[in-house]
Amino acid sequence: MGTLGKAIYTVGFWIRETGQALDRLGCRLQGNYYFQEQLSRHRTLMNVFDKAPIVDRDAFVAPSASVIGDVQVGRSSSIWYGCVLRGDVNSISIGSGTNIQDNSLVHVAKSNLSGKVLPTIIGSNVTVGHSAVLHGCTVEDEAFVGMGATLLDGVYVEKHAMVAAGALVRQNTRIPCGEVWGGNPAKFLRKLTEEEMTFISQSALNYTNLAQVHAAENAKSFDEIELETMLRKKFARRDEEYDSMLGVVRETPSELILPDNIVPDKAPKAA
C-alpha cells in the first residue's frame, strides 16, 4: 500500500471514529433515557492495510476465530473456535484438508535471535491439536502436532512425523519423517507405527467431515434454529425399550439426521 492508500485508510478510520464519538455524545445528552447497543468489534477475517486473508470457499473458519493479514487457507481446511492466525509481519500458508483445532495460535517471525525472517507454512492433511502454538515454523503434509505443543522459530516437521502433546520444540529443530518427539525440550522418543501413520490421515479426514456439519450449523438463520428446536422437543426420543413396551414408534425428521460419516450407524439389537 502506497502513501496515498495509507492516507485514504487513515481518513476512513477517523471518519468511523468520529461517528462513534458522536453516538456516545448523543447517549450522554439523553441521560437516563438513552438506549446503547453493545457491538462486538470482533472480525473473523481482518486485513492489515493491504494484507487480506484468502480463504477457500470450501474451508471452515469458526465465527470466534481470528484470521488476520497475509493468511491463505486451502480447500476443506478448518480453523476452529478461538484460534488466532496472525499474518501481520509475515505470511501464513495452510494447505488443503488441514485442521487447526480450538484455541491454537499461529504466528510468524520478522526478527529473532538468528536474524531470520520466517513465515509459517503448514501443509495438507495436517492435524494441529487444541491450544498448540506454531511460530515461524514449517509443518509438512500429513504431520501431527499434539495438544498444547509449542513449535518455535525455524522448527521443521517432516511428513508423517508427530509432535507429542505438551512438547516444546526448540528453535531450528528438525523432526524427521516417521518419528515421535516429545518432552521439554522435545527429543526423539520412538518411531511411528503403521497404525499411527494411518491414524494421522484419518484424523484429518474426520475433522474435514466434522467441519462441514459445523459450517452448515453456523450458516443457519434464526428461523431455522427456532424450527429445529421445536422439532427436537416434539420428536424427543425416549428409551427404545420403553417405547417398545408402549408400542410407540417415533420417526426422526430428516432435518435432524446427521451424515453417516459423522455419526456411525448403531449396531442393530439382537432380537
Side-chain angles (χ1 to χ4, degrees):
M1 180 181 291
T3 304
L4 178 60
K6 290 184 178 180
I8 294 174
Y9 177 90
T10 303
V11 170
F13 173 81
W14 283 114
I15 289 175
R16 295 177 65 184
E17 290 294 320
T18 301
Q20 293 177 13
L22 290 173
D23 179 67
R24 290 192 293 268
L25 176 61
C27 289
R28 288 176 184 154
L29 292 175
Q30 289 179 324
N32 295 329
Y33 301 99
Y34 82 94
F35 171 77
Q36 184 176 8
E37 185 176 5
Q38 299 292 334
L39 298 178
S40 171
R41 288 187 171 226
H42 170 77
R43 284 183 284 171
T44 302
L45 303 179
M46 187 179 103
N47 66 302
V48 178
F49 289 114
D50 57 337
K51 298 177 181 178
I54 301 175
V55 179
D56 189 273
R57 59 181 299 176
D58 291 330
F60 167 65
V61 179
S64 59
S66 296
V67 180
I68 303 166
D70 190 0
V71 181
Q72 293 189 358
V73 180
R75 188 168 182 261
S76 298
S77 288
S78 53
I79 313 299
W80 291 83
Y81 304 93
C83 287
V84 176
L85 280 65
R86 182 155 59 91
D88 45 6
V89 296
N90 214 317
S91 64
I92 297 173
S93 175
I94 298 174
S96 60
T98 289
N99 59 90
I100 312 295
Q101 296 175 17
D102 313 71
N103 296 322
S104 292
L105 169 65
V106 182
H107 194 220
V108 289
K110 182 178 182 180
S111 60
N112 49 42
L113 293 175
S114 60
K116 295 181 180 179
V117 178
L118 298 170
T120 295
I121 302 171
I122 303 173
S124 299
N125 300 319
V126 174
T127 291
V128 177
H130 313 284
S131 300
V133 177
L134 281 67
H135 197 277
C137 59
T138 298
V139 181
E140 288 189 346
D141 298 348
E142 297 181 8
F144 187 96
V145 179
M147 295 182 288
T150 300
L151 278 59
L152 299 180
D153 295 4
V155 168
Y156 197 103
V157 182
E158 295 184 2
K159 184 175 182 178
H160 290 152
M162 177 180 289
V163 179
L168 173 62
V169 186
R170 292 185 294 186
Q171 291 183 350
N172 303 317
T173 300
R174 190 179 188 96
I175 299 179
C177 173
E179 293 186 1
V180 182
W181 283 52
N184 182 2
K187 59 183 180 180
F188 171 74
L189 299 179
R190 60 178 176 83
K191 291 285 188 178
L192 276 170
T193 64
E194 291 295 331
E195 291 77 10
E196 289 170 331
M197 289 186 183
T198 303
F199 165 77
I200 292 175
S201 300
Q202 187 60 44
S203 173
L205 179 60
N206 291 343
Y207 261 89
T208 297
N209 293 332
L210 186 59
Q212 295 175 7
V213 176
H214 282 257
E217 189 68 30
N218 281 284
K220 289 177 181 177
S221 66
F222 177 78
D223 290 338
E224 289 175 318
I225 294 172
E226 287 296 299
L227 173 61
E228 289 192 359
T229 301
M230 181 270 293
L231 288 174
R232 282 191 173 91
K233 290 180 179 179
K234 182 177 179 180
F235 293 93
R237 296 182 64 87
R238 293 180 180 270
D239 181 80
E240 293 180 2
E241 294 182 0
Y242 178 85
D243 283 347
S244 64
M245 291 173 60
L246 299 180
V248 175
V249 178
R250 302 178 190 269
E251 295 182 1
T252 303
S254 59
E255 295 86 352
L256 304 182
I257 300 176
L258 292 175
D260 292 338
N261 57 0
I262 302 302
V263 178
D265 292 336
K266 293 183 178 179
K269 291 187 175 182

